[in-house]
Amino acid sequence: MHQNKSLVILILLLGLLIHKYYCKEQTYIHNQGKPLRFHVAEFNFDHVSDVYAITLWILLGSLAKVGFHLSYRLTEKFPESCLLIMLGLIVGGLLYITHLAEQKAYVLNSDTFFLFLLPPIILEAGYFMPNRPFFDNLGTILLLAIVNTLFNTVCIGLTIYGFARTPIFGNTPFDMLSCFVFAALISAVDPVAVLATFTEIHVNDMLYIVVFGESLLNDAVSVVLYRMFDSFAKIGQENLILMDYVLGALSFFVVSLGGVLIGIIFGVVACFTTKFTEHTPVLEPLIILVYAYLAYLTSEMVSVSGILAITFCGMVMKQYVSFNISKKSDATTEYVLKMLSSIMETIIFMFMGLSTVSDHHSWNTGFVLITILSCLVFRVIGIAIFANLANCWRLLELTRIDMLIMSYGGLRGAIAFSLALILDETKIPRKKEFVTATIAVVFFTVFVQGITIGPLVKCLNVRRKQIEEPTMSAKLTNRMMDHVMTCLEEISGSGGSNSLRDKCRNLDRNYFKRWLLRETPQEKMDIKLLQTFKKINMQSAMKVHDTSKGLVPTPSSAAFPTSASATNLRPSSTFANFSQLLAANLPEQTVPDLMFFESQGPDHYRDDAQMHHFLDTNLYRAKPRAAIHLRSQDETAETNNESQNRFEKSYHHRNHIFIPSRHDKEQTHGRKTGKTGSGATRSSGSKSASSTQPFNDSQATKHSLMSAITKKQNLKVPPTFTNSHKQQQQSSKPRSRSPPLSSDQPIKSLPTTNDTHPVIPPVSIVIENEEDVKTMGGVTAAEHSFPWRRSSIPDGEQAALSIPAGDSANNAQTFSNRNDPSLHPGPLTSANFSGAYNKSPEYMGEFATTTKPEEHLSRPHIRDLFNNQLRPSDETQENSAEAAANEGVTRL
Amino acid sequence: MGASKSTLLPLEEEQSICSETGFTSKQLRRLYIRFQELGKRNPTCGYLTREELLDIREVSLNPLGQRLVDVIIEDYGEANKINFKQFATVLAQFRRGKSITDLNTKEKKLLFLFSIYDRNHDSKIDRHELLGILKMMVGGNIHDEQIATIADHTIEELDSDGDLTITFEEFCKTLAKIDVDEKMSMKFLN
């Protein structure tokens, strides 16, 4: 459905473009006849026509891709490349009918292809090349890329030439050299097509890298063969001497090694350049891209393999650049690369379809059939021979199924097509047949093989790529295995790949890293392990962010001695890691990630700051609360100043941009928290129901800790709470209208906290608390010392809670306070704050400075939730009477 | 056995080791040559000592080299020495080949890995042992606290019964996704 809609839109868009084209010409002609007058507005399409067309193409491509992915069923069945080609065909058909196909911008031009469309794709492939599997399988890849391609070329060439002598081609003459030219371009597996198909079927890394690596590296061979046969054809078959063949063979080494060398040189220079970009981090992504592109252009200039150059350039850069450039630049580079390659791929496939519709065809059924068949057959034969050959030295042998997928994955694509397009028709008279046959082969491979390879992989049960989260233990053990195997290989004296890798790594560390990195890595330090750890930390932080509401109590429980979390308190797998991480570090450090970076170099301070910023922007609920929590602990034991300072400091540079988006999340999470929160209150209530005696802060802390723990246990049985909560929710609305003590308070406070979306769950908490809490002052007070334990609880309820404990005069005051419109809208009773706030004026000052009134006004509502807890510290300072009341309440 | 010139193993011993380890006799001969090469210090006796193994430059440079030699000598050898048969047994665990003996199973490899951690043979990796390994592997002058954090994190990841140690089962479970068999194998020259 979506599909059709978006297609219609696309066609309309195109129609608009065509319409514009005509309009332009008409108006232009029209203007000639008229006397020259000043124009208020001018229609000047010529001025922008080329760029306009290109931009529209990009737009069309992006929209098409967006449209395809709206329909899950469509993309599941057909690979994207097929859909794009189809779209191209449709558009091409339209253009053909409207006779616009002659327009230059609409045809895949091989210059455009090789200079603009191809490099980003290959660079992306090189940059994100999984190095380890690539080098582990390098022998196989090279064998397939070089020898297999050669084998295919020769076989296909000979077959076609052989069949040309039979009447099967309709007696069209094909001379031998042009057959070989054609074979050279058709035999090479296409990296773009392989990439597009294989990223969708998720086979295991080894299989993927063997096929993809082959398609990348065979470029050198196919380029050489193509040029060689092409120039042979120009020289003429009868003029060839032995020397030409020798030079041709020689040129293979020049083209391949030259390409690799240029790539590595540019990569190294790029890394070296980024060593000095400390003060201009904005340019870092550009520098990387430009160097890579330059590598490609340079190698094209000296006619060596540009694909090899840009691949290796990307691979070299990836190794070192990410250590030098800032994290933002790194992310930008990766993103830009992905974006560019994605859109280029889209355009290439679209152009493929588009260029098909033209007059430059000459269909020769016999020729096309023979070509397709020989491509298929020799691919299978070639793989069978060379994979078995490779198995002689491979550690992990290629199975039959692997071989089948490898041969089936031998897709041809746009490179072959563009090469066919630039054939010289005067030298190669059968160009049209070649182009047609190439298109036929490409379409056959992309459509038939591309569509069926997914199901084939599934039904043959090919080992899939395991998408696993990086775990520290896995990384550690992986590392360990490397070391152990290296050692064992040395001991056994059979120098295998492990010891080779170890030598490379030593070389890398001792020389390249030293020259190319801003900071010389420490002797023998395993950066990768540390990086993994950082990444895991980051991910746990993200998880905390995502489940922030659910996690809120965990820090407090983790603040408990580790025995608490060491026992069977494992609430849910999502944040088990993080809470345990916390448990391992607390009570000294609330957020261990930050401490981790402390004692490292200046770069790590930057990391630290970024981590701060990250946690800041995302964990804003949990963090200040944690600070509050720490503070209340501090009252008894003067520790933790450091981490507290951090929290306070970081509070200043909170980023408000994130908040609107958090709003919705907060809303959705609110429900959950309502559940868990209510569960916690209830259970904690039942436990400490007897504790109605006056309490101090430390007691409050204990209570809340207990409740946090009980809450953890409660999380194990969510369904009951869900059910009960649902019932509560249903009943809560009408009941909230008539709370016993302050009937209008909840209704009044709701609009202030969330103007647009009245939150239901908090209301349900009101009910819960009213039921449970009335009997026990201790629990409520404990909650008050942990205001974050409850979400946006309407404050009338809190006032109600404070009444049993405090005196009613206080409540009257706070209520009037809330009703006063000039004062802060977030109405809070003094009971929201434990004595910790009142006892530390400098702490309040901290928050008083941060929450300026205008700042508050500009904030989205969700901030108010938090402000509710901060605000009154402001107010209490202003309002001395209320401050006194606060003390009265909290101290009792 | 012809100490001065012995480059060959007695035939019957060779055969028995071959059948036990799954090595071909060619591979075994090659290994024996290597074994004698390593035992340069003491060419006459058929043993390798710790020091001789650590004489290999790469092994001594390897962050885990020392520990590995410890494991080999202590777990597989006797009296701080290792003879050729034991030597071959160690290596046979990592032999990759068609014939699977009970030596080169996946479990053996996992056990070997585990024994690198577990030096007090209580079939548990405790925090202390993990810390030791981490210090060796991460290297550099990283603060102890950081290492401790990583160690704690790792234990928490693996530890499923909450006793803050890693048992062999827990160890295997988390490594299920890693192709240990493939990674812990090597090709022996013929």
Side-chain angles (χ1 to χ4, degrees):
Chain A
M1 287 303 292
H2 283 296
Q3 207 40 52
N4 296 339
K5 266 185 215 163
S6 66
L7 262 179
V8 168
I9 292 169
L10 290 175
I11 290 165
L12 280 180
L13 194 88
L14 201 87
L16 199 71
L17 167 72
I18 294 161
H19 177 69
K20 275 200 169 169
Y21 240 93
Y22 276 115
C23 280
K24 180 218 73 176
E25 279 161 11
Q26 282 162 4
T27 37
Y28 195 68
I29 295 158
H30 191 60
N31 281 346
Q32 299 293 318
K34 281 191 175 176
L36 220 56
R37 292 257 81 92
F38 177 76
H39 297 284
V40 177
E42 272 182 89
F43 188 71
N44 207 348
F45 187 76
D46 270 350
H47 186 55
V48 294
S49 61
D50 286 348
V51 187
Y52 207 86
I54 292 167
T55 317
L56 275 180
W57 273 119
I58 293 174
L59 182 71
L60 184 66
S62 329
L63 286 181
K65 211 162 174 165
V66 171
F68 294 149
H69 281 280
L70 284 179
S71 161
Y72 174 71
R73 225 182 302 156
L74 197 68
T75 43
E76 196 189 25
K77 270 189 196 133
F78 300 98
E80 212 178 73
S81 42
C82 298
L83 295 173
L84 286 169
I85 287 182
M86 243 124 61
L87 179 73
L89 280 174
I90 294 166
V91 175
L94 283 176
L95 289 178
Y96 188 75
I97 295 162
T98 50
H99 298 287
L100 280 167
E102 294 85 30
Q103 294 285 346
K104 248 188 146 184
Y106 298 139
V107 183
L108 182 57
N109 168 316
S110 73
D111 265 355
T112 322
F113 176 77
F114 281 112
L115 291 185
F116 301 111
L117 297 180
L118 191 58
I121 299 174
I122 306 297
L123 177 61
E124 193 248 13
Y127 198 78
F128 293 102
M129 177 82 79
N131 278 343
R132 179 78 184 265
F134 180 75
F135 284 109
D136 280 356
N137 295 302
L138 190 62
T140 316
I141 291 172
L142 282 177
L143 182 74
L144 288 178
I146 297 169
V147 187
N148 188 31
T149 310
L150 206 61
F151 169 81
N152 267 290
T153 309
V154 173
C155 289
I156 293 173
L158 284 177
T159 312
I160 291 170
Y161 182 61
F163 276 106
R165 294 167 160 260
T166 65
I168 206 165
F169 293 165
N171 294 323
T172 325
F174 286 88
D175 65 289
M176 190 168 132
L177 275 177
S178 55
C179 279
F180 274 102
V181 173
F182 177 67
L185 66 89
I186 205 70
S187 62
V189 178
D190 186 68
V192 183
V194 168
L195 205 59
T197 313
F198 272 64
T199 46
E200 287 177 21
I201 58 173
H202 306 292
V203 291
N204 62 67
D205 258 358
M206 189 271 293
L207 201 51
Y208 167 74
I209 206 69
V210 167
V211 178
F212 180 61
E214 182 204 343
S215 71
L216 268 186
L217 299 192
N218 69 15
D219 175 66
V221 183
S222 64
V223 164
V224 170
L225 288 178
Y226 176 79
R227 284 208 194 114
M228 195 169 84
F229 289 125
D230 196 32
S231 52
F232 283 178
K234 280 171 190 159
I235 293 166
Q237 201 168 351
E238 56 283 353
N239 301 330
L240 284 175
I241 53 169
L242 183 70
M243 198 59 188
D244 289 322
Y245 293 106
V246 175
L247 287 178
L250 202 66
S251 83
F252 165 72
F253 293 100
V254 175
V255 166
S256 54
L257 296 181
V260 173
L261 197 68
I262 287 178
I264 289 176
I265 288 173
F266 273 91
V268 166
V269 174
C271 295
F272 193 69
T273 316
T274 53
K275 211 174 161 179
F276 307 102
T277 52
E278 237 168 313
H279 305 292
T280 48
V282 186
L283 293 180
E284 280 164 351
L286 190 69
I287 285 171
I288 292 165
L289 296 180
V290 164
Y291 269 116
Y293 194 41
L294 213 54
Y296 182 82
L297 292 182
T298 311
S299 48
E300 287 289 299
M301 186 174 73
V302 295
S303 64
V304 298
S305 167
I307 290 184
L308 280 185
I310 201 166
T311 308
F312 277 85
C313 186
M315 284 167 74
V316 170
M317 285 197 300
K318 176 73 174 169
Q319 284 298 301
Y320 304 104
V321 150
S322 59
F323 290 105
N324 277 344
I325 61 179
S326 71
K327 283 217 172 73
K328 269 187 192 168
S329 305
D330 199 27
T332 311
T333 313
E334 294 187 357
Y335 215 83
V336 166
L337 277 178
K338 293 255 182 219
M339 184 189 76
L340 281 180
S341 72
S342 159
I343 192 64
M344 294 307 177
E345 199 182 282
T346 310
I347 291 178
I348 285 176
F349 281 116
M350 254 167 54
F351 269 154
M352 284 280 306
L354 194 67
S355 313
T356 308
V357 189
S358 77
D359 293 325
H360 304 286
H361 287 300
S362 158
W363 182 264
N364 184 328
T365 315
F367 181 63
V368 168
L369 281 181
I370 291 298
T371 311
I372 291 176
L373 273 181
S374 57
C375 276
L376 279 177
V377 169
F378 290 118
R379 174 81 189 164
V380 175
I381 293 175
I383 290 288
I385 295 173
F386 295 108
N388 278 317
L389 198 64
N391 272 345
C392 294
W393 73 76
R394 282 181 66 88
L395 198 62
L396 181 73
E397 291 181 358
L398 295 162
T399 60
R400 292 259 163 100
I401 291 175
D402 286 341
M403 290 181 206
L404 182 64
I405 296 296
M406 278 160 68
S407 41
Y408 208 69
L411 308 176
R412 309 321 202 256
I415 293 184
F417 181 65
S418 332
L419 286 177
L421 279 184
I422 52 173
L423 288 175
D424 187 355
E425 197 157 6
T426 55
K427 295 289 186 298
I428 296 163
R430 299 270 79 82
K431 182 189 171 183
K432 277 184 185 171
E433 276 89 349
F434 289 158
V435 171
T436 313
T438 310
I439 285 179
V441 171
V442 169
F443 277 29
F444 180 81
T445 55
V446 169
F447 276 85
V448 179
Q449 296 183 348
I451 290 173
T452 50
I453 196 167
L456 191 71
V457 163
K458 246 180 233 163
C459 91
L460 287 179
N461 220 347
V462 178
R463 205 154 51 92
R464 296 299 191 90
K465 186 178 186 172
Q466 287 159 343
I467 302 156
E468 51 183 290
E469 288 183 30
T471 55
M472 200 61 211
S473 48
K475 188 79 186 173
L476 188 68
T477 314
N478 253 329
R479 246 336 192 231
M480 192 169 176
M481 286 194 270
D482 285 352
H483 286 313
V484 168
M485 290 320 289
T486 315
C487 267
L488 285 172
E489 274 174 11
E490 288 300 333
I491 288 174
S492 73
S494 54
S497 58
N498 282 301
S499 20
L500 197 68
R501 189 188 312 128
D502 194 54
K503 278 183 185 117
C504 289
R505 196 177 291 150
N506 280 335
L507 188 78
D508 175 59
R509 186 169 55 219
N510 293 338
Y511 298 101
F512 288 102
K513 285 233 166 75
R514 195 156 291 172
W515 291 334
L516 297 178
L517 298 192
R518 273 183 209 163
E519 284 173 57
T520 325
Q522 285 171 1
E523 199 62 36
K524 285 198 162 184
M525 187 161 99
D526 202 327
I527 303 178
K528 286 252 170 77
L529 264 182
L530 281 179
Q531 267 189 337
T532 318
F533 184 63
K534 280 188 202 176
K535 213 195 278 166
I536 290 168
N537 259 346
M538 198 78 168
Q539 279 175 350
S540 2
M542 288 288 235
K543 272 184 198 157
V544 174
H545 163 217
D546 289 342
T547 59
S548 70
K549 289 301 267 291
L551 190 81
V552 170
T554 23
S556 58
S557 76
F560 224 52
T562 38
S563 59
S565 67
T567 51
N568 51 358
L569 303 176
R570 286 165 191 278
S572 71
S573 58
T574 38
F575 50 83
N577 280 345
F578 188 71
S579 65
Q580 281 142 25
L581 192 65
L582 282 170
N585 285 275
L586 285 168
E588 281 83 34
Q589 297 133 26
T590 316
V591 183
D593 316 10
L594 306 179
M595 298 307 288
F596 175 66
F597 302 106
E598 280 289 84
S599 56
Q600 297 184 7
D603 192 36
H604 304 289
Y605 284 124
R606 196 187 60 207
D607 285 354
D608 198 359
Q610 282 175 350
M611 197 54 129
H612 264 299
H613 193 70
F614 166 75
L615 286 174
D616 239 4
T617 47
N618 295 298
L619 292 177
Y620 66 99
R621 284 187 70 83
K623 262 188 66 167
R625 282 167 184 164
I628 293 162
H629 163 65
L630 288 172
R631 178 49 108 180
S632 65
Q633 273 190 335
D634 280 359
E635 291 306 315
T636 47
E638 293 283 326
T639 51
N640 246 328
N641 281 333
E642 200 185 54
S643 53
Q644 186 154 1
N645 286 341
R646 186 178 300 124
F647 285 124
E648 287 167 5
K649 190 172 60 198
S650 55
Y651 181 73
H652 283 286
H653 59 86
R654 168 161 307 148
N655 190 351
H656 301 287
I657 298 167
F658 278 80
I659 292 153
S661 63
R662 294 273 304 146
H663 189 215
D664 297 54
K665 211 167 227 168
E666 208 69 34
Q667 293 284 359
T668 53
H669 276 290
R671 217 157 272 258
K672 260 189 226 157
T673 326
K675 283 171 213 164
T676 54
S678 62
T681 20
R682 191 193 286 159
S683 58
S684 66
S686 59
K687 266 202 173 180
S688 54
S690 61
S691 67
T692 45
Q693 81 272 28
F695 61 100
N696 56 24
D697 294 326
S698 59
Q699 260 181 326
T701 320
K702 265 185 203 162
H703 278 302
S704 58
L705 282 176
M706 277 173 69
S707 63
I709 292 161
T710 44
K711 186 202 157 177
K712 267 192 151 188
Q713 285 163 339
N714 282 327
L715 278 174
K716 281 187 170 173
V717 282
T720 54
F721 284 117
T722 334
N723 291 336
S724 67
H725 179 66
K726 262 183 198 160
Q727 292 166 355
Q728 302 253 322
Q729 261 192 343
Q730 286 165 353
S731 63
S732 63
K733 256 198 174 170
R735 284 171 71 185
S736 65
R737 305 267 150 143
S738 57
L741 272 163
S742 51
S743 61
D744 58 339
Q745 294 313 326
I747 301 157
K748 243 179 203 167
S749 59
L750 267 177
T752 53
T753 45
N754 341 56
D755 287 327
T756 47
H757 318 276
V759 183
I760 298 166
V763 181
S764 77
I765 296 176
V766 176
I767 308 303
E768 284 255 62
N769 284 334
E770 273 168 14
E771 287 169 354
D772 288 342
V773 141
K774 259 189 241 161
T775 50
M776 37 182 163
V779 182
T780 54
E783 268 171 357
H784 288 189
S785 70
F786 281 87
W788 56 91
R789 295 271 341 284
R790 42 184 68 218
S791 52
S792 57
I793 298 167
D795 304 280
E797 176 258 334
Q798 301 216 340
L801 296 179
S802 67
I803 284 171
D807 49 344
S808 52
N810 269 334
N811 288 315
Q813 211 160 17
T814 44
F815 288 166
S816 66
N817 188 7
R818 185 188 307 127
N819 292 337
D820 189 350
S822 68
L823 275 177
H824 188 270
L828 273 195
T829 63
S830 51
N832 268 334
F833 290 85
S834 62
Y837 290 97
N838 300 329
K839 276 192 226 157
S840 57
E842 107 281 348
Y843 188 58
M844 279 193 285
E846 185 74 43
F847 280 98
T849 48
T850 48
T851 52
K852 291 170 197 129
E854 67 270 17
E855 194 183 350
H856 165 74
L857 284 177
S858 66
R859 267 175 212 164
H861 331 291
I862 204 65
R863 288 282 309 154
D864 295 357
L865 295 179
F866 183 58
N867 277 344
N868 280 348
Q869 284 143 17
L870 298 180
R871 257 298 122 172
S873 65
D874 235 339
E875 288 172 15
T876 44
Q877 275 188 333
E878 295 163 15
N879 193 342
S880 63
E882 196 180 321
N886 286 346
E887 297 227 341
V889 170
T890 48
R891 321 224 110 213
L892 279 182
Chain B
M1 176 82 214
S4 57
K5 242 197 133 193
S6 83
T7 48
L8 280 177
L9 213 55
L11 198 66
E12 55 285 14
E13 199 182 337
E14 181 186 304
Q15 273 171 349
S16 79
I17 295 178
C18 275
S19 62
E20 223 170 277
T21 57
F23 282 122
T24 62
S25 60
K26 258 187 183 176
Q27 285 170 331
L28 203 69
R29 263 174 226 158
R30 199 175 255 278
L31 272 183
Y32 192 61
I33 295 170
R34 176 70 181 164
F35 183 75
Q36 287 179 324
E37 239 173 69
L38 291 176
K40 273 172 296 191
R41 285 193 186 185
N42 237 340
T44 44
C45 70
Y47 290 107
L48 283 183
T49 61
R50 222 182 112 77
E51 286 71 34
E52 280 164 341
L53 281 178
L54 282 173
D55 268 353
I56 308 169
R57 199 174 142 272
E58 280 78 11
V59 176
S60 63
L61 285 181
N62 194 300
L64 286 179
Q66 291 250 1
R67 177 61 71 95
L68 186 76
V69 172
D70 281 353
V71 171
I72 292 176
I73 297 282
E74 285 169 21
D75 289 9
Y76 293 88
E78 50 197 47
N80 282 333
K81 289 173 189 168
I82 184 167
N83 65 20
F84 179 65
K85 191 174 174 190
Q86 291 154 343
F87 181 75
T89 316
V90 174
L91 292 177
Q93 297 181 41
F94 307 99
R95 185 180 56 84
R96 175 102 199 171
K98 294 239 161 59
S99 61
I100 302 267
T101 60
D102 52 358
L103 274 177
N104 60 352
T105 56
K106 187 175 176 182
E107 200 184 352
K108 277 274 179 197
K109 287 168 191 175
L110 282 168
L111 262 174
F112 189 86
L113 267 185
F114 191 76
S115 68
I116 290 177
Y117 285 108
D118 180 31
R119 288 318 295 145
N120 57 8
H121 303 288
D122 60 352
S123 55
K124 274 177 188 166
I125 303 174
D126 57 36
R127 188 166 180 272
H128 183 68
E129 285 165 340
L130 188 63
L131 268 180
I133 287 284
L134 267 172
K135 270 184 196 151
M136 285 181 209
M137 285 185 59
V138 178
N141 44 0
I142 291 171
H143 210 270
D144 281 353
E145 253 175 59
Q146 289 171 289
I147 297 274
T149 316
I150 300 180
D152 288 332
H153 191 157
T154 314
I155 288 183
E156 299 290 341
E157 259 176 21
L158 290 175
D159 180 26
S160 58
D161 58 4
D163 61 352
L164 290 183
T165 55
I166 303 167
T167 60
F168 184 61
E169 285 73 38
E170 286 165 348
F171 183 72
C172 292
K173 211 183 292 168
T174 31
L175 293 185
K177 279 185 182 169
I178 305 175
D179 211 337
V180 178
D181 220 7
E182 177 191 334
K183 280 203 165 146
M184 297 282 291
S185 305
M186 58 183 175
K187 208 101 181 181
F188 286 92
L189 300 174
N190 277 316

Coordinates of all heavy atoms in Angstrom, one line a residue, chain A residues 615-641:
Chain A
L615 N 26.0 11.4 30.0 CA 25.2 11.0 31.2 C 24.2 12.1 31.6 O 23.1 11.9 32.0 CB 26.1 10.5 32.3 CG 26.7 9.2 32.0 CD1 27.7 8.9 33.1 CD2 25.7 8.1 31.9
D616 N 24.8 13.3 31.6 CA 24.1 14.5 31.9 C 22.8 14.6 31.2 O 21.8 14.9 31.7 CB 25.0 15.6 31.5 CG 25.3 16.4 32.7 OD1 24.9 16.0 33.8 OD2 25.9 17.4 32.5
T617 N 23.0 14.6 29.8 CA 21.9 14.9 29.0 C 20.9 13.8 29.1 O 19.7 14.0 28.8 CB 22.3 15.1 27.5 OG1 23.2 14.0 27.2 CG2 23.1 16.4 27.4
N618 N 21.3 12.6 29.4 CA 20.4 11.5 29.3 C 19.9 11.0 30.6 O 18.8 10.5 30.7 CB 21.0 10.3 28.5 CG 21.3 10.7 27.1 OD1 20.4 11.0 26.4 ND2 22.5 10.8 26.7
L619 N 20.7 11.1 31.6 CA 20.4 10.6 32.9 C 19.9 11.7 33.8 O 20.2 11.6 35.0 CB 21.5 9.8 33.5 CG 22.0 8.6 32.8 CD1 23.2 8.0 33.5 CD2 20.9 7.6 32.8
Y620 N 19.4 12.7 33.3 CA 19.2 13.8 34.2 C 18.3 13.6 35.3 O 18.4 14.2 36.4 CB 18.7 15.0 33.4 CG 17.3 14.9 32.9 CD1 16.3 15.4 33.6 CD2 17.1 14.2 31.7 CE1 15.0 15.3 33.1 CE2 15.8 14.0 31.3 CZ 14.8 14.6 32.0 OH 13.5 14.5 31.5
R621 N 17.5 12.6 35.2 CA 16.6 12.3 36.3 C 17.4 11.6 37.4 O 17.4 11.9 38.6 CB 15.4 11.5 35.9 CG 14.4 12.3 35.2 CD 13.2 11.5 35.0 NE 12.5 11.2 36.2 CZ 11.6 12.1 36.7 NH1 11.4 13.2 36.2 NH2 11.0 11.7 37.8
A622 N 18.1 10.6 36.9 CA 18.8 9.7 37.9 C 19.9 10.5 38.6 O 20.1 10.3 39.8 CB 19.3 8.5 37.3
K623 N 20.6 11.3 37.9 CA 21.8 11.9 38.4 C 21.6 12.8 39.6 O 22.2 12.6 40.6 CB 22.6 12.5 37.3 CG 23.7 11.5 36.9 CD 24.6 12.1 35.9 CE 25.4 13.1 36.6 NZ 26.6 13.5 35.8
P624 N 20.9 13.9 39.4 CA 20.8 14.8 40.5 C 20.2 14.2 41.7 O 20.6 14.4 42.8 CB 19.9 15.9 39.9 CG 20.0 15.8 38.5 CD 20.2 14.3 38.2
R625 N 19.4 13.2 41.4 CA 18.8 12.5 42.5 C 19.9 11.7 43.3 O 20.0 11.7 44.5 CB 17.8 11.5 42.0 CG 16.5 12.2 41.7 CD 15.7 11.3 40.9 NE 14.5 11.9 40.5 CZ 13.7 11.5 39.6 NH1 14.1 10.4 39.0 NH2 12.7 12.1 39.3
A626 N 20.8 11.1 42.5 CA 21.8 10.4 43.1 C 22.6 11.4 44.0 O 23.1 11.0 45.1 CB 22.7 9.8 42.0
A627 N 22.8 12.6 43.5 CA 23.5 13.5 44.3 C 22.8 13.8 45.5 O 23.4 13.9 46.6 CB 23.7 14.8 43.5
I628 N 21.5 14.0 45.4 CA 20.8 14.2 46.6 C 20.9 13.1 47.6 O 21.2 13.3 48.8 CB 19.3 14.4 46.2 CG1 19.1 15.7 45.4 CG2 18.4 14.5 47.5 CD1 17.8 15.7 44.7
H629 N 20.8 11.9 47.0 CA 20.9 10.7 47.8 C 22.3 10.7 48.5 O 22.4 10.5 49.7 CB 20.8 9.5 46.9 CG 21.3 8.3 47.5 ND1 20.7 7.7 48.6 CD2 22.3 7.5 47.2 CE1 21.3 6.6 48.9 NE2 22.3 6.5 48.0
L630 N 23.3 11.0 47.8 CA 24.6 11.0 48.4 C 24.7 12.0 49.5 O 25.3 11.8 50.5 CB 25.7 11.3 47.4 CG 25.9 10.2 46.4 CD1 26.8 10.7 45.3 CD2 26.5 9.0 47.1
R631 N 24.1 13.1 49.3 CA 24.1 14.2 50.2 C 23.5 13.7 51.5 O 24.1 13.9 52.6 CB 23.3 15.4 49.7 CG 23.3 16.5 50.7 CD 24.6 16.8 51.2 NE 25.1 18.1 50.7 CZ 26.3 18.5 51.0 NH1 27.1 17.9 51.8 NH2 26.8 19.6 50.4
S632 N 22.4 13.0 51.4 CA 21.8 12.6 52.7 C 22.7 11.6 53.4 O 22.6 11.5 54.6 CB 20.4 12.0 52.4 OG 20.6 10.8 51.6
Q633 N 23.4 10.9 52.6 CA 24.4 10.0 53.3 C 25.5 10.7 53.9 O 26.0 10.4 55.0 CB 24.9 9.0 52.3 CG 24.1 7.8 52.1 CD 24.8 6.7 51.3 OE1 25.7 7.1 50.5 NE2 24.4 5.5 51.5
D634 N 25.9 11.8 53.2 CA 27.0 12.6 53.7 C 26.8 13.2 55.0 O 27.7 13.5 55.7 CB 27.3 13.7 52.7 CG 28.0 13.2 51.5 OD1 28.3 12.0 51.5 OD2 28.3 13.9 50.6
E635 N 25.5 13.4 55.3 CA 25.3 14.1 56.5 C 25.9 13.3 57.7 O 26.3 13.9 58.7 CB 23.7 14.2 56.7 CG 23.1 15.1 55.8 CD 23.7 16.5 55.8 OE1 23.9 17.0 56.9 OE2 24.0 17.1 54.7
T636 N 25.8 12.0 57.6 CA 26.4 11.3 58.7 C 27.9 11.0 58.5 O 28.7 11.1 59.4 CB 25.7 9.9 58.8 OG1 25.6 9.3 57.5 CG2 24.3 10.1 59.4
A637 N 28.3 10.7 57.3 CA 29.7 10.4 57.0 C 30.2 11.4 55.9 O 29.6 11.4 54.8 CB 29.9 9.0 56.6
E638 N 31.2 12.1 56.2 CA 31.7 13.1 55.3 C 32.6 12.5 54.2 O 33.8 12.6 54.3 CB 32.4 14.2 56.0 CG 31.6 15.0 57.0 CD 30.8 16.1 56.2 OE1 31.3 16.5 55.2 OE2 29.7 16.3 56.7
T639 N 31.9 11.8 53.3 CA 32.7 11.3 52.2 C 32.2 11.9 50.9 O 31.3 12.7 50.9 CB 32.6 9.7 52.2 OG1 31.2 9.4 52.2 CG2 33.3 9.1 53.4
N640 N 32.8 11.3 49.8 CA 32.1 11.5 48.5 C 32.0 13.0 48.0 O 31.2 13.3 47.2 CB 30.6 11.1 48.7 CG 30.4 9.9 47.9 OD1 31.0 9.9 46.8 ND2 29.5 9.0 48.3
N641 N 32.9 13.8 48.5 CA 32.8 15.2 48.1 C 33.1 15.3 46.6 O 32.5 16.1 45.9 CB 33.8 16.0 48.8 CG 33.3 16.4 50.2 OD1 32.1 16.5 50.3 ND2 34.1 16.6 51.1

